[in-house]
Amino acid sequence: MEKQNHSVVAEFILLGLTESHELQIFFFFFFSIIYIAILLSNLIIILVVKLDPQLQSPMYFLLVNLSFIDMSLASFATPKMIGDLISENKAISYEECMAQIFFLHLLGGSEMMLLVAMAIDRLIAICKPLHYKNIMSHRICIRLALLSWTTGFVHSVSQIVFIVTLPFCGPNVVDSFFCDLPQVIKLACTDTYVLDLLVIAFSGLLSLFCFIFLFISYSIILITVHHHSSSGYSKAMSTLSAHITVVVLFFGPCLFIYIWPFSHVFIDKIFSVFYTIFTPFLNPIIYSFRNKDMKKAIIKIKTKNVSSRSAF
């Protein structure tokens, strides 16, 4: 007997951000500019760190990984969203939809753990400065990066393994600009109460754990700096407040979407934009372009290029 395939839905329809034609045109140009800026800024960071010997430190190694994840996180759904804003056909195949869910949780989980690794790096640099180079060796940095990607992969597989077994036999309209897991689960032709709890257990608790760890780490850093140097406290506060802003913008929407029981589609869309588009846009500005060493490295590379051109 031939095995029956429960998933008879071949494609899903993405409703996108808005139905207003005027807003769609505005969002098309706005997000196109933002997306190009994300790619360029993160590529600049990767190239500058690779080209400048002065930036071969654990912090910049982790920043390169963050830039790569940010480019990928912004690319898993944003190009299709931009295309859908000026297209009548907003369909996405079942396979592409599952791929979006997989890569969202792979990259999202990896970024969460990488932000934790970056907080650990800063914590050791400030609390144990004399032992920093020994503790944060290149081998440890590679292990932290691998741990981030492994956590993201395991987290993503734990999500996708449940949803691919769900039967989709009728409704196929997703009220979002990408295949968001909570929205897709609602379309299944079966009771998904247990699956909803599993999503909260895996996604919500991972987000909550990382957020609490980051909050404690940054608190310890601020207290340590305050005790050792009152003059350096204001500088550290200025830097860390920017870092905390990014953490809140990334983790806040995740916690709201996956833990808050009273979801609202419009609010979920706004929060989804924050952690898939605006956070990858802000990360290079806050973590790198405000950094004096990064600014010096960019100026040095530009000066070298100008000098080499003038020589010809």
Side-chain angles (χ1 to χ4, degrees):
M1 183 182 292
E2 186 179 353
K3 188 176 180 179
Q4 185 179 1
N5 183 10
H6 292 288
S7 298
V8 296
V9 171
E11 63 180 20
F12 295 94
I13 306 298
L14 303 175
L15 293 184
L17 290 174
T18 179
E19 295 180 0
S20 169
H21 180 69
E22 291 76 14
L23 282 176
Q24 286 179 348
I25 298 300
F26 170 76
F27 284 148
F28 171 78
F29 288 105
F30 177 74
F31 286 117
S32 294
I33 294 171
I34 293 292
Y35 180 61
I36 292 171
I38 290 170
L39 295 182
L40 289 177
S41 59
N42 283 289
L43 278 173
I44 287 171
I45 290 170
I46 293 172
L47 290 174
V48 169
V49 172
K50 292 298 181 184
L51 293 174
D52 195 316
Q54 300 298 322
L55 300 181
Q56 305 306 309
S57 67
M59 182 178 75
Y60 292 105
F61 173 81
L62 296 174
L63 276 175
V64 165
N65 280 270
L66 180 65
S67 292
F68 179 77
I69 291 177
D70 279 339
M71 284 194 300
S72 304
L73 186 61
S75 299
F76 89 96
T78 306
K80 174 161 179 58
M81 179 200 74
I82 293 171
D84 286 348
L85 287 168
I86 56 171
S87 174
E88 293 295 329
N89 181 22
K90 303 181 188 301
I92 182 172
S93 69
Y94 175 85
E95 291 77 14
E96 289 174 326
C97 184
M98 295 301 109
Q100 279 196 349
I101 293 173
F102 175 80
F103 283 110
L104 170 63
H105 290 273
L106 168 66
L107 298 167
S110 298
E111 177 150 342
M112 288 179 188
M113 289 303 298
L114 191 62
L115 290 173
V116 168
M118 292 170 68
I120 292 172
D121 172 71
R122 291 299 85 201
L123 190 64
I124 295 172
I126 291 173
C127 298
K128 299 285 185 180
L130 299 178
H131 304 284
Y132 175 70
K133 288 187 177 180
N134 291 329
I135 297 174
M136 292 300 295
S137 63
H138 186 64
R139 184 176 64 179
I140 294 298
C141 290
I142 292 175
R143 286 181 178 179
L144 286 172
L146 287 175
L147 177 62
S148 300
W149 282 102
T150 303
T151 302
F153 179 77
V154 172
H155 168 65
S156 184
V157 170
S158 70
Q159 302 294 292
I160 203 73
V161 74
F162 294 111
I163 196 168
V164 293
T165 59
L166 289 177
F168 296 96
C169 51
N172 69 335
V173 177
V174 180
D175 196 358
S176 183
F177 61 93
F178 67 95
C179 283
D180 196 9
L181 184 59
Q183 295 293 328
V184 175
I185 288 177
K186 293 177 182 177
L187 303 177
C189 303
T190 186
D191 181 27
T192 58
Y193 177 75
V194 175
L195 185 56
D196 288 334
L197 294 179
L198 289 173
V199 168
I200 292 173
F202 285 105
S203 295
L205 291 181
L206 176 63
S207 303
L208 187 61
F209 165 76
C210 293
F211 181 77
I212 292 173
F213 183 89
L214 288 168
F215 179 79
I216 294 172
S217 299
Y218 285 132
S219 298
I220 294 172
I221 290 172
L222 285 174
I223 293 170
T224 303
V225 173
H226 180 64
H227 284 320
H228 284 78
S229 172
S230 57
S231 60
Y233 179 75
S234 59
K235 181 181 177 182
M237 188 63 193
S238 174
T239 303
L240 291 180
S241 61
H243 291 196
I244 292 168
T245 300
V246 170
V247 169
V248 171
L249 288 176
F250 183 77
F251 283 94
C254 294
L255 292 172
F256 184 90
I257 292 173
Y258 291 101
I259 291 183
W260 190 253
F262 309 106
S263 62
H264 190 280
V265 173
F266 177 72
I267 297 176
D268 285 354
K269 287 182 183 180
I270 295 174
F271 283 158
S272 296
V273 169
F274 268 102
Y275 73 82
T276 59
I277 300 175
F278 285 141
T279 300
F281 175 72
L282 291 173
N283 277 349
I285 299 171
I286 290 175
Y287 284 109
S288 299
F289 294 141
R290 294 174 76 249
N291 184 290
K292 289 182 180 180
D293 293 333
M294 181 64 72
K295 288 179 182 178
K296 288 180 182 177
I298 293 173
I299 293 171
K300 187 165 66 176
I301 292 171
K302 286 173 65 177
T303 305
K304 188 182 293 185
N305 288 336
V306 172
S307 300
S308 61
R309 286 178 184 178
S310 60
F312 290 100

